Amino acid sequence: MGLTLTEKILQAHLVDGKMEKGSEIGIRIDQTLTQDATGTMAYLEFEAMGVDRVKTERSVAYIDHNTLQSGFENADDHRFIGSVCKKHGIYFSRPGNGICHQVHLERFGAPGKTLIGSDSHTPTGGGIGMIAIGAGGMDVAVAMGGGAYYITCPKVVKVNLSGKLKPWVSAKDVILEVLRRLSVKGGVGKVMEYCGEGVKTLSVPERATITNMGAELGATTSIFPSDEVTQKFLKAQGREDVYIPLSADDDAVYDEQVDINLSELVPLAACPHSPDNVKSVEEIGRLKIDQVCIGSCTNSSLMDMMKVAYILKGKTVHPDVSLSIAPGSKQVLNMLAQNGALAIMIDAGARILESACGPCIGMGQSPNSKGISLRTFNRNFEGRSGTKDGQIYLVSPEMAALSALTGYLSDPRELGEMPEFTMPEEFIVNDNMIEPPVDAADMDKVEILRGPNIKPFPVAEALADTIDAGVSLKVGDNITTDHIMPAGAKILPLRSNIPKISEYCFAVCDETFHDRALSMGKSIIIGGSNYGQGSSREHAALAPLYLGVKAVITKSFARIHMANLINAGILPLTFENEKDYDSIDQGDELVIENVEKQFRASDRIKVLNKTKGTEFTAILTASDRQRDMLAAGGLLNYTKNNS
Ligand code: MIC
Ligand code: SF4
């Protein structure tokens, strides 16, 4: 029986467990990446592990999220991360060099390798044929130390692409179509593997747009084969040496199949407030807009920018619209500057932002109140833009650029004939903003620079015999990590300071949560389905841990968040019978007796609702290793106990 590409790469990296779907496997990690908003915590955790030098083939730290520097905090974090990198063997991509996923694809990604990153959009690397997975900072720290990364052996979905995209229909429309069909929960426990005749019509950056936003499906990752298109891209980046051809066997067996005829796709938009709320321009109708933002790790490649420049050429941004453009990397920005496209954008009235995440994570450019904003980004969760009632639509760069000129949501096919946009034979390669580490022999000479905002992170105590705690919060379905631990210009600078950032925990849902949880001392959170979807930020587990949350009971969890809860030593349970969700109210006192004894004996955990005088069963879906971690009080305690 043939193998899928996913199985081939996983199998080649398998260090623990068996390749049986649904069971836990440990894989060797070749490369890691971090970004600054999750990186400070990841490197504090790495330091706590006491490993001298990273044991991966390549580890890179990027500074791209917190580049606003409206106080000393971010600059301090950058210096801290830079000094840790120098000492411990990590490459340091300086602020200004670009968004982690875009730069990693350009400069480090390699077919057949494994990559984990402390950012949920790490699967962007799947565009170049690698198994690239988003993870919590602690998992990345362990991988840097040479430890395996554990995942549930995934199901593999064949996404069979046929045909060719019509003019002005974009790679963004491909992934929006997949989201429209499968929803934000559709990829949980699965890898989306793209194959079929249509694959070769897509460039590497286009493939990366698709794998990037596979994160919004909740998928473990997404991957494209490595073929001549990959080879050409790597050659243009001066890295042809890392190219290897890779694809699934012809007789590979998949768990599911999705067929997409690229020729039939039309321009689409994800409407507020979910990436799967996808509609065509006709379905949305005439929509007057206030803002357009082009950029982010989804759509900031050179080819995206060249299309935007073509559309803007000789025109002026509509008087009622603000257009911002953030090219994804220094390489992209530099090439736009040299080929004149940047001048076209400036001339049209675009507001050029630095090569960083920027508005995507609410670092500036929040829309006006009730403002309608078209963005080429990947997430449009409520409040993420920094404007609570902002109405965010996710669209392709082509649709964004044309709409910026017309002032309303416009179908880019109205542009008529499309010229051919071709990838350059050679990109401008200058890695002068990537600092290599010092030699191992000199590591003791490097001083670690710690600013006053960098506070120790909370570590759970070993599990108590009995959890007897009140429900401090009850929330509904599809709660994102942007609800649990919001970001944005005010809060993001506090990522290295858990006591301070926890003041904003769940503030989007309930501003009184922080004080209530603190005064309760210990508590339990009740959630609906797909709880914790979105980012990989472990702050969404560490802040609740700091506030005394002992367990979270939901209808279902998103993958990375559930792993982060276990890493933090918080018990993640799901209702055996979803109806039990309805019988619990905020303030109820819940008791789980003999917790460890119960979960060592079975997946089914008995929970008493003392207030209501009822009892229900919750399920713990965890491997033996994870149960050990929960008993020890999280990954760090577990690692210490076992070293
Ligand atoms: C995001 O897009 O939500 C982020 C900000 O990149 C996060 C990481 C973070 O919260 O720091 C992610 O995707 O994991
Ligand atoms: Fe940055 Fe946005 Fe990409 Fe997250 S999704 S890495 S915030 S650009």
Side-chain angles (χ1 to χ4, degrees), residues 165-451:
L165 290 172
K166 290 261 164 61
W168 304 116
V169 182
S170 174
K172 182 64 155 276
D173 301 312
V174 179
I175 187 62
L176 288 177
E177 173 65 14
V178 180
L179 274 154
R180 189 182 72 77
R181 291 200 208 171
L182 303 187
S183 91
V184 289
K185 293 186 272 190
V188 176
K190 301 171 191 169
V191 172
M192 313 301 291
E193 189 170 309
Y194 290 81
C195 17
E197 280 303 294
V199 164
K200 62 174 187 303
T201 67
L202 299 169
S203 66
V204 166
E206 287 176 307
R207 296 173 185 186
T209 293
I210 295 170
T211 57
N212 169 284
M213 240 183 128
E216 275 52 69
L217 294 163
T220 306
T221 190
S222 305
I223 189 167
F224 273 83
S226 169
D227 57 11
E228 314 82 66
V229 176
T230 323
Q231 185 174 24
K232 213 170 147 223
F233 176 80
L234 285 168
K235 186 162 178 242
Q237 290 287 352
R239 302 200 294 119
E240 203 182 354
D241 54 321
V242 303
Y243 172 72
I244 45 165
L246 282 174
S247 59
D249 291 331
D250 290 340
D251 56 347
V253 179
Y254 290 88
D255 297 288
E256 287 168 37
Q257 179 160 341
V258 175
D259 291 296
I260 295 192
N261 184 346
L262 298 174
S263 325
E264 285 172 2
L265 294 184
V266 297
L268 297 168
C271 304
H273 296 286
S274 182
D276 62 359
N277 188 11
V278 175
K279 298 198 173 105
S280 67
V281 185
E282 290 91 79
E283 280 170 322
I284 296 170
R286 197 178 163 85
L287 183 74
K288 189 157 166 38
I289 60 169
D290 303 292
Q291 186 192 47
V292 173
C293 300
I294 298 177
S296 95
C297 57
T298 318
N299 277 122
S300 60
S301 69
L302 180 68
M303 296 317 288
D304 283 338
M305 294 293 151
M306 292 309 293
K307 289 180 190 163
V308 168
Y310 172 85
I311 296 168
L312 296 182
K313 190 166 184 185
K315 308 267 174 29
T316 302
V317 173
H318 189 279
D320 298 340
V321 177
S322 161
L323 167 67
S324 72
I325 302 180
S329 67
K330 168 171 156 282
Q331 182 184 76
V332 174
L333 182 55
N334 203 355
M335 292 193 73
L336 295 175
Q338 296 201 15
N339 70 16
L342 187 62
I344 294 174
M345 293 171 174
I346 295 170
D347 201 46
R351 303 165 67 182
I352 308 297
L353 306 181
E354 77 172 311
S355 297
C357 301
C360 179
I361 190 59
M363 299 302 273
Q365 301 295 324
S366 300
N368 54 289
S369 41
K370 299 200 177 72
I372 295 184
S373 177
L374 303 191
R375 299 177 163 212
T376 65
F377 307 166
N378 47 37
R379 289 186 175 145
N380 57 348
F381 303 142
E382 195 175 1
R384 182 173 158 105
S385 66
T387 301
K388 185 125 202 303
D389 55 9
Q391 305 291 309
I392 313 298
Y393 291 74
L394 305 174
V395 302
S396 68
E398 295 86 334
M399 193 187 288
L402 178 61
S403 306
L405 299 176
T406 60
Y408 57 90
L409 181 83
S410 302
D411 187 332
R413 290 174 300 180
E414 286 167 17
L415 288 159
E417 219 169 292
M418 186 176 90
E420 215 186 314
F421 295 96
T422 45
M423 190 86 80
E425 294 291 317
E426 261 178 59
F427 288 94
I428 298 173
V429 174
N430 181 355
D431 290 333
N432 61 339
M433 292 292 278
I434 301 175
E435 286 277 305
V438 299
D439 290 341
D442 291 330
M443 67 171 281
D444 291 338
K445 293 188 195 143
V446 181
E447 186 200 342
I448 300 296
L449 306 169
R450 263 172 247 276

Side-chain angles (χ1 to χ4, degrees), residues 129-148:
M130 63 197 311
I131 286 283
I133 308 180
M138 238 183 256
D139 285 319
V140 176
V142 168
M144 285 191 287

Side-chain angles (χ1 to χ4, degrees), residues 381-555:
F381 303 142
E382 195 175 1
R384 182 173 158 105
S385 66
T387 301
K388 185 125 202 303
D389 55 9
Q391 305 291 309
I392 313 298
Y393 291 74
L394 305 174
V395 302
S396 68
E398 295 86 334
M399 193 187 288
L402 178 61
S403 306
L405 299 176
T406 60
Y408 57 90
L409 181 83
S410 302
D411 187 332
R413 290 174 300 180
E414 286 167 17
L415 288 159
E417 219 169 292
M418 186 176 90
E420 215 186 314
F421 295 96
T422 45
M423 190 86 80
E425 294 291 317
E426 261 178 59
F427 288 94
I428 298 173
V429 174
N430 181 355
D431 290 333
N432 61 339
M433 292 292 278
I434 301 175
E435 286 277 305
V438 299
D439 290 341
D442 291 330
M443 67 171 281
D444 291 338
K445 293 188 195 143
V446 181
E447 186 200 342
I448 300 296
L449 306 169
R450 263 172 247 276
N453 184 48
I454 301 180
K455 296 279 185 276
F457 54 90
V459 178
E461 291 160 4
L463 190 73
D465 283 346
T466 295
I467 296 177
D468 183 342
V471 173
S472 52
L473 189 70
K474 182 176 177 184
V475 287
D477 289 344
N478 287 322
I479 287 294
T480 72
T481 52
D482 279 294
H483 291 104
I484 305 172
M485 199 57 264
K490 194 160 104 193
I491 308 174
L492 211 53
L494 305 172
R495 283 289 181 93
S496 332
N497 186 339
I498 299 293
K500 193 90 192 114
I501 203 170
S502 72
E503 289 173 18
Y504 299 93
C505 189
F506 276 112
V508 185
C509 306
D510 180 350
E511 280 182 350
T512 60
F513 171 74
H514 168 267
D515 290 355
R516 181 167 61 250
L518 261 193
S519 69
M520 287 169 82
K522 54 187 170 137
S523 69
I524 294 175
I525 292 172
I526 302 295
S529 67
N530 203 22
Y531 178 90
Q533 69 161 326
S535 88
S536 68
R537 62 190 72 148
E538 57 190 335
H539 302 74
L542 294 177
L545 170 69
Y546 175 78
L547 297 175
V549 173
K550 301 292 174 200
V552 182
I553 311 177
T554 69
K555 293 183 185 171

